[in-house]
Amino acid sequence: MLSYTRVTKWTCTGLVVAVLAACAAVNTTSSGTVGVDRKQWMSGLVSETELNQAAQQNYTQVLSQARSQGALDKDAAQTNRVKNIANRLIRHVDVFRPDARAWNWEVHVISSNELNAWCMPGGKMAVYSGLIKQLNLTDAELAAIIGHEMAHALREHSREQVSQQMATSVGLSVLSAVLGQPGVQDLGGRLSEVMFTLPNSRQHETEADLIGVELAARAGYDPRAAITLWEKMAAVEKGQQQPEFMSTHPSSTSRINELRTITERVMPLYQAAPKA
């Protein structure tokens, strides 16, 4: 008769193998001029379609709540400004993935003092009025933010994170079952955060910077505005609580230094692009 421990180990090993087998290395986007070509591990258990459907439901809820509070697209001129900038950027998403031109892109402005902006899977975006007003953003700086958030959706960073979380969750369950130690879950959670969440978050932010700057340049917005944007962010950050928009981002100093290199690379695209 097999012992319980051996059965458990074999069962857990089978679970790990099943999860890993369901993962595949993919390229969600082309590399573009900026050269984003990292392979991403995606789980077949988390489909793009399902995640987009979930994003649509969440987006509908967010918009409904903002509408009930009288905070959705409250300033018509501001909303039109954001939509116009977003539409110019959307025209160039096929450089990174042609199928994204057919996405049902949508952007709204939510009246809030938060310095925040985001783009859900499938192109569902929101920009918070506090970000625009408090930083006194130029059109080019706003394009840098919107392009950055669009890049997260193009690269399917959310699906990548969900895939990693699923694999990590199974791995931690296996470790806990095999070792039979009650403290493994807590220790594993900390290890998981260090090994996966933080490094990948920073990597995702760098990729979003690269793609966002190229989208802005191709749309005719000066890519150097990304530098002035983060200089403004750095000024806000000093002596204050970190804005939500920056909560998982690299430090402003390192980001600005990287952006100086990136913007030089895409300046020819900006110089060749129509400015209207």
Side-chain angles (χ1 to χ4, degrees):
M1 179 180 292
L2 293 174
S3 69
Y4 172 78
T5 300
R6 290 180 63 187
V7 171
T8 299
K9 287 181 178 179
W10 287 1
T11 301
C12 291
T13 300
L15 286 172
V16 173
V17 171
V19 170
L20 293 179
C23 292
V26 300
N27 281 323
T28 55
T29 63
S30 300
S31 60
T33 297
V34 291
V36 176
D37 55 7
R38 177 180 63 89
K39 292 280 189 180
Q40 298 168 268
W41 283 95
M42 298 292 191
S43 171
L45 302 176
V46 185
S47 74
E48 178 186 357
T49 300
E50 290 173 336
L51 205 62
N52 288 353
Q53 290 174 346
Q56 178 63 68
Q57 292 175 353
N58 289 340
Y59 193 60
T60 299
Q61 292 174 358
V62 170
L63 297 186
S64 178
Q65 181 178 10
R67 187 179 294 109
S68 68
Q69 297 171 345
L72 184 66
D73 299 331
K74 188 175 180 180
D75 184 329
Q78 185 181 74
T79 300
N80 287 335
R81 180 188 177 204
V82 169
K83 287 181 180 289
N84 288 336
I85 293 172
N87 287 335
R88 282 176 59 173
L89 296 174
I90 291 168
R91 296 187 194 116
H92 300 277
V93 295
D94 55 348
V95 170
F96 293 98
R97 52 183 301 170
D99 66 308
R101 282 295 295 270
W103 287 3
N104 186 20
W105 292 91
E106 192 174 351
V107 60
H108 293 276
V109 177
I110 296 177
S111 294
S112 169
N113 290 329
E114 287 186 55
L115 275 68
N116 199 12
W118 42 262
C119 183
M120 291 183 178
K124 304 303 182 185
M125 294 180 278
V127 178
Y128 289 55
S129 61
L131 188 65
I132 301 171
K133 293 180 179 178
Q134 292 185 46
L135 298 184
N136 192 26
L137 296 179
T138 65
D139 283 0
E141 289 168 342
L142 193 49
I145 287 177
I146 296 174
H148 173 97
E149 297 305 323
M150 287 170 58
H152 281 306
L154 293 171
R155 286 289 285 171
E156 295 187 55
H157 284 153
S158 293
R159 185 157 74 99
E160 185 177 13
Q161 288 179 320
V162 171
S163 296
Q164 291 171 349
Q165 289 171 0
M166 290 181 66
T168 302
S169 177
V170 170
L172 293 175
S173 297
V174 170
L175 187 61
S176 179
V178 171
L179 297 181
Q181 297 178 359
V184 168
Q185 186 69 34
D186 292 338
L187 179 61
R190 292 178 184 272
L191 180 61
S192 175
E193 183 178 8
V194 172
M195 292 297 296
F196 293 103
T197 307
L198 292 178
N200 283 321
S201 175
R202 290 169 184 153
Q203 190 169 48
H204 288 175
E205 292 305 317
T206 297
E207 290 177 352
D209 277 346
L210 287 164
I211 292 175
V213 165
E214 180 167 342
L215 286 175
R218 289 182 179 277
Y221 294 104
D222 191 335
R224 292 169 295 190
I227 298 172
T228 61
L229 165 66
W230 284 100
E231 287 173 342
K232 290 181 178 181
M233 285 286 193
V236 170
E237 187 179 15
K238 286 184 179 179
Q240 297 185 26
Q241 184 177 359
Q242 192 178 51
E244 178 68 21
F245 184 75
M246 300 174 67
S247 61
T248 60
H249 296 47
S251 70
S252 297
T253 301
S254 63
R255 188 175 220 140
I256 289 170
N257 290 336
E258 291 173 354
L259 284 169
R260 294 188 193 282
T261 301
I262 297 170
T263 53
E264 287 301 317
R265 197 183 310 171
V266 299
M267 278 302 291
L269 297 176
Y270 166 64
Q271 292 165 349
K275 302 304 185 288

